[in-house]
Amino acid sequence: MDELAATIQFESGDLDGAYTLFEPQYRKYGRRVFEGHKKGFIDFIKSRKKTGKVDQ
């Protein structure tokens, strides 16, 4: 369910909200959680991690 909510937030431009939901999924499952989805999701998570932006 978090994946759907994160996707909606991402598509609507709420990037902080999307990251808050996507990042734990990415941390736990890696790239495979995004299989079949836009490549942009993985790029988004990686770019946030590189900048050190972590939302609590």
Side-chain angles (χ1 to χ4, degrees):
M1 186 57 103
D2 282 347
E3 181 182 346
L4 177 59
T7 300
I8 291 168
Q9 289 180 334
F10 182 84
E11 294 293 333
S12 69
D14 180 5
L15 301 181
D16 290 335
Y19 182 80
T20 299
L21 295 172
F22 275 144
E23 198 279 330
Q25 294 176 57
Y26 182 76
R27 189 174 356 115
K28 186 172 182 176
Y29 302 109
R31 297 175 64 94
R32 69 186 161 159
V33 75
F34 300 107
E35 287 178 3
H37 295 283
K38 289 183 179 181
K39 183 182 182 293
F41 293 159
I42 295 170
D43 294 339
F44 168 67
I45 295 297
K46 286 182 176 182
S47 71
R48 284 282 177 116
K49 283 185 168 291
K50 285 181 185 176
T51 63
K53 177 150 176 104
V54 178
D55 302 318
Q56 297 292 324

